[in-house]
Amino acid sequence: MEIRQLKLKDVEKVRELEISCIKEYFAATLENKWEDLPEEWKDNLGASSKNHFKAYLDSGLSFVAEEDGEIYGFIFAQMLHHIADVNNLVWIENMGVHPYVRRNEIGYRLLRETLRKGREMGGQVAHSMIQEDNVSSIMLHKKIGFFMDDRKVALMDLQDPKLKL
Ligand SMILES: CC(C)(COP(=O)(O)OP(=O)(O)OC[C@H]1O[C@@H](n2cnc3c(N)ncnc32)[C@H](O)[C@@H]1OP(=O)(O)O)[C@@H](O)C(=O)NCCC(=O)NCCS
């Protein structure tokens, strides 16, 4: 299995894999049936969506795992500047490995590649988005050396028409 940088030609295959990982998450956590969710909302999900893919492609920090022309894993990351008291922060937005080939160190190798490249590009720290009930992802991040405390991120939908500010 080759770990290599994300390329433009990967867009369709990597989109398919990211969506299948997102669906898996929905099936495990939400009552919502995927088919019932609005199409427009689904189109905007994930780092491989139309509006976000290019940023993750251009970042130089996104990688895929490929064998025989098929994509079996991905990691989408970018460098953020002047955030959380650091100049260069490696932001890991999403990663996933095809269910058939999990537990073969593919996730570990993808994450390590992003971290190595991020450090080479001047990254000072790395932050990764992990749902608190995602045991496999938590264990993977711990194995590679991430520190996890009880921090929580507070979210607000600034485009919510009902929001009163
Ligand atoms: C999380 C995920 C990317 C891990 O990919 P993977 O290729 O299977 O992981 P690896 O084989 O590299 O595992 C590395 C380490 O992670 C931990 N780990 C991975 N899967 C695990 C599981 N199901 N249970 C417990 N620990 C697990 C282990 O410490 C493992 O090391 P070990 O095999 O020596 O014990 C994969 O399970 C996945 O795609 N999940 C669905 C999508 C997702 O949740 N993405 C993360 C969003 S942040």
Side-chain angles (χ1 to χ4, degrees):
M1 188 78 63
E2 185 198 1
I3 306 292
R4 60 154 177 83
Q5 224 152 25
L6 176 70
K7 294 179 186 166
L8 185 58
K9 67 168 183 158
D10 300 323
V11 63
E12 280 178 21
K13 285 179 177 166
V14 86
R15 174 89 189 134
E16 200 180 314
L17 184 56
E18 187 182 29
I19 287 294
S20 78
C21 287
I22 292 173
K23 274 188 188 171
E24 201 182 314
Y25 174 73
F26 271 93
T29 59
L30 295 180
E31 297 287 303
N32 277 341
K33 285 208 189 79
W34 181 257
E35 293 69 34
D36 298 340
L37 297 167
E39 285 305 322
E40 196 191 327
W41 185 80
K42 286 191 277 194
D43 286 348
N44 284 322
L45 278 178
S48 60
S49 64
K50 206 167 54 187
N51 293 337
H52 304 298
F53 184 75
K54 191 166 184 315
Y56 287 98
L57 180 70
D58 292 347
S59 71
L61 289 170
S62 303
F63 293 86
V64 294
E66 182 187 35
E67 194 165 86
D68 297 331
E70 292 302 322
I71 301 291
Y72 289 99
F74 64 84
I75 183 164
F76 290 110
Q78 61 173 303
M79 193 75 84
L80 301 183
H81 305 287
H82 312 293
I83 189 160
D85 285 342
V86 294
N87 291 332
N88 296 316
L89 181 147
V90 176
W91 174 260
I92 299 161
E93 174 71 19
N94 198 11
M95 65 180 298
V97 171
H98 192 288
Y100 286 5
V101 291
R102 283 185 192 158
R103 234 40 211 273
N104 280 300
E105 283 223 312
I106 297 169
Y108 185 85
R109 289 172 62 203
L110 286 163
L111 187 53
R112 187 178 58 191
E113 212 51 43
T114 289
L115 297 172
R116 279 183 178 161
K117 186 72 183 169
R119 184 168 62 179
E120 197 183 295
M121 288 166 69
Q124 292 159 286
V125 297
H127 279 206
S128 195
M129 285 276 283
I130 309 175
Q131 304 292 339
E132 60 186 329
D133 57 354
N134 192 339
V135 176
S136 42
S137 183
I138 291 170
M139 298 306 282
L140 165 62
H141 283 77
K142 283 192 173 168
K143 182 175 173 179
I144 212 158
F146 273 79
F147 163 78
M148 304 194 53
D149 59 15
D150 290 334
R151 238 173 278 198
K152 298 241 187 326
V153 178
L155 294 175
M156 178 185 272
D157 180 357
L158 291 173
Q159 302 299 328
D160 182 349
K162 293 193 287 291
L163 181 65
K164 292 193 177 76
L165 286 178

